[in-house]
């Protein structure tokens, strides 16, 4: 492994003109035309615009009326957020094939920390190229990628490569940084930019001639981090948001459960539900979390990371039951139980076709074991919890965090 591979482990991925690109993808007659997605012409602003529209000077956040002045023949579309969220989930699922270290910034933008994936998938630049190709092939969308040793540089790099670009920040990054206008620096907004200009500072080189204290004097507390950023130093980690890559299910009971048999039956139902959703997405999970809320509303969670990602209800059930042992569920009335799975990855990741048969055989053995377990729990255990008309009163189910969405 080269030094470069070790250093360059952070990707910033950003779909190009996301909303407008989805509209152009789904309506071929819009391709090659200036498409503006936004609110009403009278009061709305531009949410997104195709690159054809950008040629006319149209930009995000511009009033729609102004956009129409610049390009009277622009095609206007109202945003279809539900669709964009759905497509975003599909895109993030592609990202998730290469790492679970994902920090979504929005529906169309994320940081990935792939330093733990290099041995499996090659260098960071190869991973970025694979993701770009898979998103293009499978979803007909282009994503620009920046590859660097930290978030600040990676974000600058993806913008540098846009549209449909892949840019690797060279090491050392000084020449790249010095080539950028101040307005391109992430975190330097228009107000700071103007303020710096008033002090005669118009380039990164100008800023780098200042000491840290001088920079703080000019831009305030932010000068401290700016001093380091313009030298390519950024120690902020990629922050994986809980819930953004998880599948969960929980049940609240109208009357607290005390009977261990009843708790096990609920766990079986939950395990089957999350396993079904997991397998529907072609995923496997490396973490299983159990949530227990007692009758007095106090809540505990227990989590286990497993060495081999799981995708069967039986395996998930086994982990959940062992986690249940680590709670006071046996001695205290239980009001709610929940199972959620995280550290999701492609079920077949790292497994060649050779293992396909073995996997199928293992799966049918597991299904058989589950059948006998259902018999042990009695007829009611066979039914899915949502279909169960439990006279003891189950108030219904609630889905936990969905997989792969941005904020
Ligand atoms: Mg974008």
């Amino acid at each position: 492994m080269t030094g470069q591979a070790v250093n360059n482990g952070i990707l910033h991925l950003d779909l190009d003109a996301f909303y407008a690109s989805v509209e152009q993808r789904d309506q071929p007659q819009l391709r090659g035309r200036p498409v503006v997605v936004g609110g009403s012409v009278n009061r709305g602003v531009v949410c997104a615009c195709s690159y054809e529209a950008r040629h006319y000077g149209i930009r995000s956040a511009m009033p729609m009326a102004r956009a129409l002045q610049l390009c009277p023949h622009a095609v206007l579309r109202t945003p279809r957020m539900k669709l964009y969220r759905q497509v975003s989930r599909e895109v993030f699922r592609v990202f998730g094939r290469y790492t679970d270290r994902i920090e979504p910034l929005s529906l169309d933008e994320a940081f990935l920390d792939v330093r733990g994936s290099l041995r499996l998938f090659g260098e960071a630049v190869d991973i970025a190229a694979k993701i770009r190709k898979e998103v293009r092939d499978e979803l007909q969308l282009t994503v620009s990628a920046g590859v660097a040793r930290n978030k600040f540089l990676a974000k600058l790099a993806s913008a540098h490569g846009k549209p449909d670009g892949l840019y690797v920040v060279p090491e050392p990054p000084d020449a790249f940084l010095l080539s950028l206008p101040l307005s391109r620096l992430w975190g330097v907004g228009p107000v700071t930019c103007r303020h710096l200009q008033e002090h005669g500072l118009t380039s990164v080189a100008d800023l780098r001639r200042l000491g840290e204290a001088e920079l703080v004097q000019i831009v305030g507390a932010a000068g401290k981090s700016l001093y380091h950023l313009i030298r390519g130093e950024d120690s902020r980690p990629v922050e994986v948001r809980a819930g953004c890559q998880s599948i969960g299910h929980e049940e609240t009971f109208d009357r607290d459960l005390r009977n261990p048999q009843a708790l096990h039956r609920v766990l079986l139902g939950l395990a089957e539900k999350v396993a079904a959703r997991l397998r529907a997405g072609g995923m496997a999970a490396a973490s299983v979390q159990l949530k227990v809320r007692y009758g007095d509303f106090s809540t505990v969670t227990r989590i286990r990371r497993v060495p081999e990602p799981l995708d069967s209800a039986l395996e998930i059930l086994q982990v959940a039951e062992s986690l249940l042992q680590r709670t006071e569920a046996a001695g205290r009335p239980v009001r709610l139980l929940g199972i959620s799975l995280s550290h999701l990855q492609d079920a077949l990741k790292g497994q060649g076709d050779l293992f396909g048969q073995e996997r199928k055989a293992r799966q049918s053995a597991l299904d058989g074991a589950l059948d006998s377990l259902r018999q042990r729990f009695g007829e009611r255990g066979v039914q899915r919890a949502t279909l169960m008309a439990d006279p003891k009163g189950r108030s219904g189910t609630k889905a936990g965090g969905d997989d792969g969405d941005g904020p």
Side-chain angles (χ1 to χ4, degrees), residues 13-18 51 54 106 108-109 162:
L13 299 169
D14 189 356
L15 287 139
D16 301 322
F18 181 45
Y51 280 87
R54 290 177 199 208
S106 66
D108 71 321
E109 212 182 312
K162 264 185 177 300

PDB file of all heavy atoms in Angstrom, residues 13-18 51 54 106 108-109 162, ligand 1:
ATOM      1  N   LEU A  13     -18.687  13.045  -1.957  1.00  0.00           N
ATOM      2  CA  LEU A  13     -19.466  12.692  -3.139  1.00  0.00           C
ATOM      3  C   LEU A  13     -20.650  13.632  -3.243  1.00  0.00           C
ATOM      4  O   LEU A  13     -21.337  13.872  -2.251  1.00  0.00           O
ATOM      5  CB  LEU A  13     -19.941  11.238  -3.039  1.00  0.00           C
ATOM      6  CG  LEU A  13     -18.796  10.227  -2.953  1.00  0.00           C
ATOM      7  CD1 LEU A  13     -19.318   8.851  -2.576  1.00  0.00           C
ATOM      8  CD2 LEU A  13     -18.038  10.168  -4.267  1.00  0.00           C
ATOM      9  N   ASP A  14     -20.880  14.149  -4.436  1.00  0.00           N
ATOM     10  CA  ASP A  14     -21.917  15.171  -4.619  1.00  0.00           C
ATOM     11  C   ASP A  14     -22.567  14.964  -5.980  1.00  0.00           C
ATOM     12  O   ASP A  14     -21.893  15.072  -7.012  1.00  0.00           O
ATOM     13  CB  ASP A  14     -21.252  16.551  -4.510  1.00  0.00           C
ATOM     14  CG  ASP A  14     -22.267  17.675  -4.470  1.00  0.00           C
ATOM     15  OD1 ASP A  14     -23.477  17.406  -4.601  1.00  0.00           O
ATOM     16  OD2 ASP A  14     -21.829  18.840  -4.319  1.00  0.00           O
ATOM     17  N   LEU A  15     -23.851  14.636  -5.973  1.00  0.00           N
ATOM     18  CA  LEU A  15     -24.552  14.441  -7.241  1.00  0.00           C
ATOM     19  C   LEU A  15     -24.661  15.769  -7.971  1.00  0.00           C
ATOM     20  O   LEU A  15     -24.831  16.820  -7.348  1.00  0.00           O
ATOM     21  CB  LEU A  15     -25.946  13.861  -6.990  1.00  0.00           C
ATOM     22  CG  LEU A  15     -25.883  12.387  -6.587  1.00  0.00           C
ATOM     23  CD1 LEU A  15     -26.863  12.071  -5.492  1.00  0.00           C
ATOM     24  CD2 LEU A  15     -26.104  11.496  -7.800  1.00  0.00           C
ATOM     25  N   ASP A  16     -24.552  15.730  -9.281  1.00  0.00           N
ATOM     26  CA  ASP A  16     -24.593  16.952 -10.078  1.00  0.00           C
ATOM     27  C   ASP A  16     -26.042  17.371 -10.322  1.00  0.00           C
ATOM     28  O   ASP A  16     -26.842  16.589 -10.840  1.00  0.00           O
ATOM     29  CB  ASP A  16     -23.891  16.715 -11.425  1.00  0.00           C
ATOM     30  CG  ASP A  16     -22.438  16.295 -11.235  1.00  0.00           C
ATOM     31  OD1 ASP A  16     -21.785  16.837 -10.321  1.00  0.00           O
ATOM     32  OD2 ASP A  16     -21.969  15.430 -12.001  1.00  0.00           O
ATOM     33  N   ALA A  17     -26.346  18.621  -9.940  1.00  0.00           N
ATOM     34  CA  ALA A  17     -27.678  19.198 -10.196  1.00  0.00           C
ATOM     35  C   ALA A  17     -28.771  18.184  -9.892  1.00  0.00           C
ATOM     36  O   ALA A  17     -29.642  17.904 -10.715  1.00  0.00           O
ATOM     37  CB  ALA A  17     -27.775  19.668 -11.644  1.00  0.00           C
ATOM     38  N   PHE A  18     -28.746  17.655  -8.669  1.00  0.00           N
ATOM     39  CA  PHE A  18     -29.505  16.445  -8.339  1.00  0.00           C
ATOM     40  C   PHE A  18     -30.972  16.471  -8.764  1.00  0.00           C
ATOM     41  O   PHE A  18     -31.410  15.651  -9.582  1.00  0.00           O
ATOM     42  CB  PHE A  18     -29.386  16.164  -6.842  1.00  0.00           C
ATOM     43  CG  PHE A  18     -30.111  14.936  -6.380  1.00  0.00           C
ATOM     44  CD1 PHE A  18     -30.019  13.751  -7.086  1.00  0.00           C
ATOM     45  CD2 PHE A  18     -30.891  14.967  -5.232  1.00  0.00           C
ATOM     46  CE1 PHE A  18     -30.690  12.604  -6.654  1.00  0.00           C
ATOM     47  CE2 PHE A  18     -31.558  13.828  -4.787  1.00  0.00           C
ATOM     48  CZ  PHE A  18     -31.467  12.654  -5.504  1.00  0.00           C
ATOM     49  N   TYR A  51     -27.377  21.941 -15.815  1.00  0.00           N
ATOM     50  CA  TYR A  51     -26.204  22.674 -16.280  1.00  0.00           C
ATOM     51  C   TYR A  51     -26.532  23.532 -17.486  1.00  0.00           C
ATOM     52  O   TYR A  51     -25.953  24.604 -17.682  1.00  0.00           O
ATOM     53  CB  TYR A  51     -25.029  21.714 -16.529  1.00  0.00           C
ATOM     54  CG  TYR A  51     -24.366  21.375 -15.211  1.00  0.00           C
ATOM     55  CD1 TYR A  51     -24.816  20.320 -14.434  1.00  0.00           C
ATOM     56  CD2 TYR A  51     -23.350  22.183 -14.697  1.00  0.00           C
ATOM     57  CE1 TYR A  51     -24.264  20.048 -13.196  1.00  0.00           C
ATOM     58  CE2 TYR A  51     -22.786  21.926 -13.460  1.00  0.00           C
ATOM     59  CZ  TYR A  51     -23.242  20.852 -12.716  1.00  0.00           C
ATOM     60  OH  TYR A  51     -22.690  20.606 -11.480  1.00  0.00           O
ATOM     61  N   ARG A  54     -27.644  26.667 -16.121  1.00  0.00           N
ATOM     62  CA  ARG A  54     -26.555  27.436 -15.520  1.00  0.00           C
ATOM     63  C   ARG A  54     -25.820  28.280 -16.555  1.00  0.00           C
ATOM     64  O   ARG A  54     -25.253  29.321 -16.235  1.00  0.00           O
ATOM     65  CB  ARG A  54     -25.560  26.508 -14.805  1.00  0.00           C
ATOM     66  CG  ARG A  54     -26.211  25.917 -13.564  1.00  0.00           C
ATOM     67  CD  ARG A  54     -25.318  24.932 -12.854  1.00  0.00           C
ATOM     68  NE  ARG A  54     -26.140  24.101 -11.978  1.00  0.00           N
ATOM     69  CZ  ARG A  54     -25.728  23.526 -10.854  1.00  0.00           C
ATOM     70  NH1 ARG A  54     -24.481  23.672 -10.473  1.00  0.00           N
ATOM     71  NH2 ARG A  54     -26.541  22.816 -10.129  1.00  0.00           N
ATOM     72  N   SER A 106     -26.618  16.076   2.897  1.00  0.00           N
ATOM     73  CA  SER A 106     -27.932  16.404   2.353  1.00  0.00           C
ATOM     74  C   SER A 106     -28.355  15.200   1.521  1.00  0.00           C
ATOM     75  O   SER A 106     -27.674  14.181   1.513  1.00  0.00           O
ATOM     76  CB  SER A 106     -27.864  17.666   1.487  1.00  0.00           C
ATOM     77  OG  SER A 106     -27.073  17.421   0.347  1.00  0.00           O
ATOM     78  N   ASP A 108     -28.110  14.742  -1.490  1.00  0.00           N
ATOM     79  CA  ASP A 108     -27.260  14.460  -2.650  1.00  0.00           C
ATOM     80  C   ASP A 108     -25.774  14.589  -2.356  1.00  0.00           C
ATOM     81  O   ASP A 108     -24.971  14.708  -3.267  1.00  0.00           O
ATOM     82  CB  ASP A 108     -27.643  15.384  -3.812  1.00  0.00           C
ATOM     83  CG  ASP A 108     -27.237  16.815  -3.559  1.00  0.00           C
ATOM     84  OD1 ASP A 108     -27.366  17.260  -2.402  1.00  0.00           O
ATOM     85  OD2 ASP A 108     -26.787  17.476  -4.503  1.00  0.00           O
ATOM     86  N   GLU A 109     -25.414  14.562  -1.091  1.00  0.00           N
ATOM     87  CA  GLU A 109     -24.023  14.869  -0.750  1.00  0.00           C
ATOM     88  C   GLU A 109     -23.607  14.117   0.509  1.00  0.00           C
ATOM     89  O   GLU A 109     -24.362  14.057   1.475  1.00  0.00           O
ATOM     90  CB  GLU A 109     -23.968  16.370  -0.443  1.00  0.00           C
ATOM     91  CG  GLU A 109     -22.707  17.057  -0.783  1.00  0.00           C
ATOM     92  CD  GLU A 109     -22.818  18.526  -0.376  1.00  0.00           C
ATOM     93  OE1 GLU A 109     -23.812  19.193  -0.674  1.00  0.00           O
ATOM     94  OE2 GLU A 109     -21.884  18.979   0.290  1.00  0.00           O
ATOM     95  N   LYS A 162     -16.371  19.269 -10.642  1.00  0.00           N
ATOM     96  CA  LYS A 162     -17.739  19.330 -11.162  1.00  0.00           C
ATOM     97  C   LYS A 162     -17.827  19.948 -12.543  1.00  0.00           C
ATOM     98  O   LYS A 162     -17.064  20.839 -12.836  1.00  0.00           O
ATOM     99  CB  LYS A 162     -18.619  20.162 -10.213  1.00  0.00           C
ATOM    100  CG  LYS A 162     -19.357  19.283  -9.250  1.00  0.00           C
ATOM    101  CD  LYS A 162     -20.317  20.056  -8.398  1.00  0.00           C
ATOM    102  CE  LYS A 162     -21.077  19.117  -7.514  1.00  0.00           C
ATOM    103  NZ  LYS A 162     -21.872  18.102  -8.227  1.00  0.00           N
TER     104      LYS A 162
HETATM  105 MG1  LIG B   1     -25.129  18.306  -5.573  1.00  0.00          MG
END
